[in-house]
Amino acid sequence: MRPRFAAAVVVATTAAIALSGCTKKNESTDTAASGDAGSKTYKVAFVPKLQGVPYFEAMNAGGKEAAAALGNVEWLYQGPTQADAAAQADIVRSYIQQKVDALIVAPNDPDSMAPLLQQAKDAGIHVATADTDAPSSVREVFVNQATAEGIGQGLTDSLLTAMGGKGKYAIVSCGQTAENLNSWIEVQKAYTKEKYPQAEIVDIVYAGEDQAKATQMATDLMNAHPDLTGLVGECTSSAPGVAQAVKDAGKIGKVFTVGLGTPQAMKPYLTDKSSTAAILWDVENLGYLTAWAGAQIAQGKTIEATNNVSADLSAVTYDSGTKMLLLGPALAITAENVDQFNY
């Protein structure tokens, strides 16, 4: 049992959503999810973009919790120590050789991952993606944290509200080929042009999954554009990185930042106002949903349009056309609610 937050701000609708407090996910009444612990144990492997960072470790914690609740799942977790597509591919090949029942990947490079997912399928392994997609692959389901529109618009609204609805801003992203990051950026470009005609994105740079590099790139952007008033950290390493750059430059209140940061990593920056907000979701719940989805496809079960996955995830929607299992709307994590998250 772990602390649950009581409420968080829903970005797309600006309404508060209530979540259950201190619940046990194994109290789910969903018979499709419960499994039969006395029968076969299904090996569900998850390969994140990068192992050892708070975000994916939180997903791993949620996956472990789901495996314990389901009773017939062995949760396997391994990722590269750097956000490297080749290193990630080696881990995927290893799981194919192990003949796991379900293989789920958050691909660093969706195009190069697609042939490997085909190879896994040909070996009789069920395949899926989570956190970031490989849409042109044979994946059976994509476990998505929130829609691209919700995340991209949430980032833009939070930043431009702080900037007074106008001005120049830049984006420090991470992996240049990451499908999820690129989809959010495309939304930010279009939404900024449509809703904030007096605002402009002046540059987009890529720091990999390196927080120190993100800080240096954000510093370079502020030096190259003295009239810059906003920065976006597009992933959980660049979000604290851009806030640190603003803090180091003594520009808190002059250059505003938002990003996709994990709550406790962002807490000091939200507190000192070098960051306005972190746009995110319950990452442990995403990991839980990932393990649950892996169990479903491993057992050949149908994912319904609405799924009662657990006490915390009682109405998870699935679109059969896109094969997308959606965790829910994006959330704005601020100085006021950051302590409701324990990772």
Side-chain angles (χ1 to χ4, degrees):
M1 186 164 65
R2 60 186 174 85
R4 311 299 305 164
F5 54 86
V9 180
V10 179
V11 170
T13 64
T14 67
I17 60 171
L19 298 180
S20 60
C22 203
T23 57
K24 293 182 181 178
K25 289 192 173 76
N26 60 0
E27 291 173 352
S28 169
T29 58
D30 181 16
T31 55
S34 63
D36 180 4
S39 61
K40 175 182 175 179
T41 296
Y42 294 88
K43 292 184 177 181
V44 176
F46 175 52
V47 184
K49 291 180 183 177
L50 180 67
Q51 186 170 335
V53 295
Y55 181 90
F56 285 114
E57 295 309 308
M59 278 193 73
N60 184 34
K64 287 179 178 178
E65 190 176 351
L70 292 165
N72 64 341
V73 170
E74 180 184 353
W75 173 254
L76 304 172
Y77 171 81
Q78 185 182 356
T81 55
Q82 295 183 337
D84 178 73
Q88 188 180 45
D90 288 340
I91 295 168
V92 169
R93 292 188 187 97
S94 174
Y95 279 133
I96 294 172
Q97 291 172 356
Q98 294 175 46
K99 299 186 184 300
V100 296
D101 297 292
L103 177 58
I104 308 169
V105 184
N108 281 299
D109 183 349
D111 291 334
S112 65
M113 184 55 62
L116 285 174
L117 294 181
Q118 180 68 60
Q119 183 180 335
K121 181 182 178 182
D122 292 343
I125 298 170
H126 294 276
V127 295
T129 53
D131 178 71
T132 186
D133 197 14
S136 61
S137 72
V138 294
R139 53 90 167 141
E140 297 168 53
V141 61
F142 168 40
V143 185
N144 193 8
Q145 57 271 63
T147 65
E149 289 74 17
I151 295 168
Q153 292 177 11
L155 286 167
T156 306
D157 284 336
S158 290
L159 182 64
L160 267 297
T161 297
M163 290 170 57
K166 60 183 179 180
K168 296 179 179 180
Y169 76 93
I171 296 171
V172 181
S173 192
C174 295
Q176 195 163 356
T177 58
E179 192 276 338
N180 59 342
L181 308 186
N182 290 337
S183 68
W184 303 337
I185 290 170
E186 288 305 309
V187 172
Q188 288 164 259
K189 289 178 181 177
Y191 190 61
T192 298
K193 186 176 181 180
E194 174 191 346
K195 187 173 180 181
Y196 300 99
Q198 292 181 283
E200 177 188 2
I201 300 173
V202 296
D203 205 352
I204 301 169
V205 297
Y206 302 89
E209 298 283 346
D210 187 327
Q211 183 173 329
K213 188 175 180 181
T215 298
Q216 184 57 57
M217 285 186 157
T219 301
D220 293 343
L221 285 165
M222 287 187 287
N223 290 336
H225 304 275
D227 54 350
L228 195 75
T229 55
L231 286 162
V232 177
E234 204 73 23
C235 73
T236 56
S237 58
S238 65
V242 299
Q244 185 66 50
V246 168
K247 184 175 182 177
D248 292 346
K251 292 187 175 182
I252 295 175
K254 297 177 182 177
V255 178
F256 302 92
T257 78
V258 299
L260 275 295
T262 50
Q264 292 306 308
M266 293 304 297
K267 181 178 177 179
Y269 304 108
L270 294 169
T271 301
D272 68 19
K273 301 189 186 307
S274 55
S275 178
T276 298
I279 308 302
L280 207 64
W281 41 87
D282 189 312
V283 183
E284 288 188 10
N285 274 348
L286 181 62
Y288 192 102
L289 184 59
T290 297
W292 179 88
Q296 303 310 294
I297 61 174
Q299 296 172 85
K301 292 183 177 179
T302 300
I303 299 177
E304 304 295 338
T306 303
N307 301 272
N308 182 10
V309 174
S310 72
D312 286 349
L313 300 169
S314 59
V316 177
T317 60
Y318 174 70
D319 180 81
S320 59
T322 59
K323 299 181 180 178
M324 182 189 297
L325 191 64
L326 184 63
L327 180 68
L331 310 173
I333 300 164
T334 65
E336 288 69 37
N337 65 11
V338 66
D339 283 329
Q340 295 168 0
F341 302 83
N342 62 0
Y343 53 86

